[in-house]
Amino acid sequence: MLLILAAAASVTPAPPLPPAAGLAYAEAYERAERYERTDNGAMQYRTGVLYPWLGPSIPRILDTCVPRPKPADLPLFTLVLSFRDGRFDALQSSSDHPVAQCIVKQMSPLAWPAPPFPDFAEQMHFDLADKAE
């Protein structure tokens, strides 16, 4: 799980996989789950590379994507970051909510740091509901 999001959004257990997420999301989600279960150095990448690299961008992304004042109906969703052959492949959301899709749009073009494994995947859980103003 992406712990750096705790400062900008609450980190929560993963919501159930929605039927609309599609096979690509499900496959990447399963790889992310596998890397969380087996680790094999994935945690060192998360805490030493990915989180410190992504952390400074989160406030800007949330400022861009979350309306002001923040509404009470902000979504709970999971993003899955997926790599193929050691390169960024996709960032997909479990939600089609406009805020979730905006975050995907803002984060997808980032120059993601090289993963620890060619097929690495990572889950990022967002609970923005408790951030309403």
Side-chain angles (χ1 to χ4, degrees):
M1 284 186 270
L2 187 59
L3 301 177
I4 60 160
L5 294 178
S10 298
V11 177
T12 60
L17 181 65
L23 294 176
Y25 178 92
E27 187 274 333
Y29 186 90
E30 175 52 39
R31 281 189 289 123
E33 286 283 304
R34 185 182 76 230
Y35 279 111
E36 274 199 38
R37 284 190 310 268
T38 60
D39 193 351
N40 296 336
M43 181 56 79
Q44 184 177 4
Y45 171 77
R46 288 181 196 105
T47 60
V49 177
L50 184 61
Y51 301 164
W53 174 83
L54 184 57
S57 298
I58 294 297
R60 176 191 56 78
I61 291 167
L62 292 178
D63 284 347
T64 300
C65 296
V66 177
R68 299 256 185 227
K70 294 178 186 172
D73 66 344
L74 290 172
L76 168 69
F77 61 96
T78 298
L79 298 182
V80 177
L81 169 63
S82 176
F83 293 90
R84 289 260 188 242
D85 299 323
R87 294 179 181 211
F88 172 74
D89 178 49
L91 184 66
Q92 298 176 319
S93 176
S94 64
S95 172
D96 61 357
H97 189 283
V99 168
Q101 292 305 307
C102 177
I103 292 172
V104 167
K105 183 178 177 182
Q106 292 293 312
M107 291 174 72
S108 290
L110 297 176
W112 294 93
F117 307 99
D119 70 338
F120 185 72
E122 175 69 5
Q123 304 170 24
M124 296 176 264
H125 307 292
F126 287 78
D127 181 4
L128 302 175
D130 66 343
K131 303 299 178 193
E133 293 174 347

